[in-house]
Amino acid sequence: MANRGPADPASTPPGPSIAERLGQARRLLTDDLTGVLVSAREAYGPIVDLTMPDGTPGVLLAEPTAVQHVLETNAENYRRASVYREELSELFGDGLLTSEGELWHRQHRLIRPMFGSGSVRSFTDLILTETEAMLDRWATRSEPIDLLREMERVTLSIIGKAMFSADVEAHAETIRAALETLRRGFQREVGVVPTAPEWIPTPHNRRTRAAIDDIDAVVYDLIEARRGEADEYDDLLSKLLTARTDDGERMADEQIRDELVTFLLAGHETTAAALTWTWYLLANHPGVHRRLHERVAEADAITDAVGFSAGTAGDASFVKQCVQEAMRIYPPVPVITREAEDCDEISGYEIPAGSEVVLSQFVVHRDPDLWADPLAFRPERFAPGAAEERPAYSYFPFGGGQRMCIGRLFALAEAQLILARVVRDVRLRLRSPTHDTPAVDSAVTMVPDEPIEMAVTDWV
Ligand code: HEM
């Protein structure tokens, strides 16, 4: 492994000149976040000074021990960065993703059991039923499908029903339209395009407010309608309504709203992105794709193919290995950001108080010092035992430490079940784009920036 430390202890990390920083800022304006980070890593190594032209201190940390330091070892020094506190909290309020301190601890304790492996398995039938409805829809059309849209549609239906049972059906369109507006808004804000403060009624702010109001109206209606009959359902809304703290206190409606909106958004786009990239890679690797089909077709049931049945080891599932490898090359969340409260020292470099630290899954997962031939799609990298040979945090699609993704078991189960159910029956063939690497939009969730069109065909 290359020598990654500085020559001079507690020095400033290497980084671009002022002129290069201006160029970088311009690239960030065009949403090329992953491009900027990869170039920085190639030019300066895994720890790079990213101080912005306006003087805001920033640093890229793309070295496993540095990532572990921020997420685990010295996590108490690293709070949510301003993007979570300002832009994301406008929508998510004080939900799990954006809250901190005592409130986060209390909510995390109450919510964690809802996403344990037992609860997640109880959604198997729901996930398979929704996937079959999607396959039925595909069977009636002759033109190619827009893969990302289809994956978003099925994952939104699944998380909607997991949260609200059947109730969400009537509101699905409102939610989908509002989320689309918000996503476009976030792309602008996280893409570092200057936006007016939310109290100024610009067209952008008005659209954002209206979309949040639409979602709120639906979510508060659902909470109200359910009150009093929470015991009759076994979904996430009922669990939130009946949850009690150690002192017997129930969650306020606003808090329930914040958690539900967080699950609704964080819980479907990311999984849809993971599946879209998995299929894109499979379509470009016909040998792996066929092997996956054969493994699934050999199994007696989809639950056996994904290792959910008694007696089979879940980690040995080839379906899971394909999803994990796709999330390595195309991590749905390509960066995690934090803000250093006090100054710190990482790998011998000085991190001033107030620095934005950027931990990048995208860069670490493609580091040739950690992953041989990093752009090659090889699911066997995740075969049982293989991970033991790699350093901790050379792979962290779900983050790490206390704030690791609470929905990771749900997401992995969902992605595997959808992938296995579809790959058993149909073969998706790439129709467009025909060029090598699709453009990537990495403003929030990393998704293709051009439609990935697939023809739905039979296996022959
Ligand atoms: C492939 C799918 C998914 C990926 C790649 C993913 C990724 C992540 C990552 C990287 C974080 C950490 C963010 C940080 O530390 O700043 C996170 C947090 C979170 N995720 Fe996920 N996620 C996925 C699916 C889900 C699902 C299905 C749900 C819920 C149903 C969910 C809910 C959350 C929540 C609530 C948090 C905040 C946790 C906390 O701070 O305590 N995610 N996710």
Side-chain angles (χ1 to χ4, degrees), residues 71 80 84 95-99 104 108 111 115 159 163 236 259 262-275 323 327 331-333 335-338 361 396-400 402-408 410-412 414-415:
L71 293 180
R80 303 315 239 183
Y84 296 79
L96 264 193
L97 183 65
T98 36
S99 62
W104 175 82
H108 192 254
I111 292 171
F115 288 98
I159 191 69
M163 291 194 311
L236 294 173
E259 304 300 0
T262 301
F263 300 153
L264 199 60
L265 197 56
H268 89 281
E269 275 207 309
T270 40
T271 316
L275 280 164
V323 175
M327 287 199 296
V333 176
V335 295
I336 291 176
T337 50
R338 295 284 190 272
Q361 291 93 326
F396 60 110
F398 294 109
Q402 272 197 328
R403 305 296 300 248
M404 190 193 263
C405 177
I406 204 165
R408 64 191 180 281
F410 186 98
L412 276 171
E414 181 184 16

